[in-house]
Amino acid sequence: MGFHTIESLATATARELEPAGISIKKALDVIRLARGSISLSFVRADELLKQRQSILRLTTGSKTLDDLIGGGLETQSITEFYGEYGSGKSQICHQLCVNIQLPPERGGLGGAALYIDTENTFHTERIVSMAQSLGLDIEEVVKNIIVAEAYTSDHQIFLLENADRIIKENNIRMIIVDSLTAHFRSEYVGRETLALRQQKLNKHMHKLIRLARAFNTIAVVTNQVMSKPDVFFGDAVHPIGGHIVAHTSHTRLYLRKSARGPVRIARLVSSPYLPNGEGVFKITENGVEEVEEGDEKRRR
Ligand code: GTP
Ligand code: MG
């Protein structure tokens, strides 16, 4: 049923175990046992603080961008990059797949990446040039990125539901879903499908957050926009769980192109505890980089 680890059982709901043909009571027993064995239950605030202290941070490659989000992407929560085509969402995802492998003193987590690719945009060549520019062993770097192509939204959901064993066995420290919403958007058209789409999307996001917490990994999703930036978590729909997902552990960054080619503008739109703000970075042959002095820094 897609539960390959104690961690995923511990964070399951009794409803999810129903298809196993066991009673709710039995399902609750199973979940309780799983929780007991990995100590996931009610926590006091001081324990929460301790949990937060185990949060690790990952560099984007740009100090400005890192500072904007409080020092890099955090484990145990979801970071969303949204913006129009070509704004750099997938480029950042590629860069993060390389950076995650850096040792902690260089801003990485010394781990591997899982890339759920829904638009067939993953390019190994791009990884190679980014790894090269960081002076890393290219063969090692490409070995430590597991790519799963998702053909439909259901397939995408299935991949994540079954990711726990891969995560555990491969020292995965980051899960990327690029793009989170593309399949949903093309498959669920028309107002009457909005509720179902939102329900599925929320469940998908919940699965992601639970994996991120259970395995102390970074979680990244991308989201394209047309004219309404907030179409998925804002006014277009009124989801029951959607806002909860969007607001609990969710850092959202809005990316846009600038008048000058490689420079991109990132705006922190929402964060659990940081003020909104803006900063610039650039995308070059080497990947995501800090805009340097000579590049005539531009802020709005
Ligand atoms: P969609 O997935 O279409 O919504 O866009 P996205 O936000 O994922 O865009 P993506 O990250 O793919 O950005 C593409 C842009 O990155 C290109 O238009 C280039 O400006 C830049 N880019 C990509 N590869 C290279 C490269 O090898 N060198 C340089 N200099 N820029 C690159
Ligand atoms: Mg993309």
Side-chain angles (χ1 to χ4, degrees), residues 47-63:
E47 292 165 335
L48 261 185
L49 188 66
K50 218 158 95 196
Q51 235 176 55
R52 274 203 63 80
Q53 281 160 355
S54 67
I55 287 177
L56 302 169
R57 286 181 176 278
L58 169 67
T59 182
T60 58
S62 151
K63 181 157 187 327

Side-chain angles (χ1 to χ4, degrees), residues 84-91 119 126 224 264 283-285:
E84 62 169 354
Y85 72 94
S87 56
K89 305 179 293 290
S90 298
Q91 291 301 310
E119 296 183 298
R126 203 54 188 122
Q224 211 194 24
R264 297 291 188 280
I283 302 172
T284 69
E285 206 53 42

Side-chain angles (χ1 to χ4, degrees), residues 176-195:
I176 289 180
V177 186
D178 180 23
S179 129
L180 172 73
T181 46
H183 282 315
F184 288 93
R185 193 172 249 176
S186 66
E187 291 168 24
Y188 295 86
V189 284
R191 280 206 76 80
E192 70 284 1
T193 65
L194 272 183

Side-chain angles (χ1 to χ4, degrees), residues 56-58 75 99-104 107-111 173 216 218:
L56 302 169
R57 286 181 176 278
L58 169 67
T75 57
N99 293 359
I100 191 86
Q101 303 187 39
L102 291 168
L109 271 64
R173 305 314 307 278
N216 198 18
I218 307 265

Side-chain angles (χ1 to χ4, degrees), residues 220-231:
V220 176
V221 300
T222 68
N223 199 349
Q224 211 194 24
V225 292
M226 299 295 172
S227 46
K228 268 194 180 173
D230 265 3
V231 75

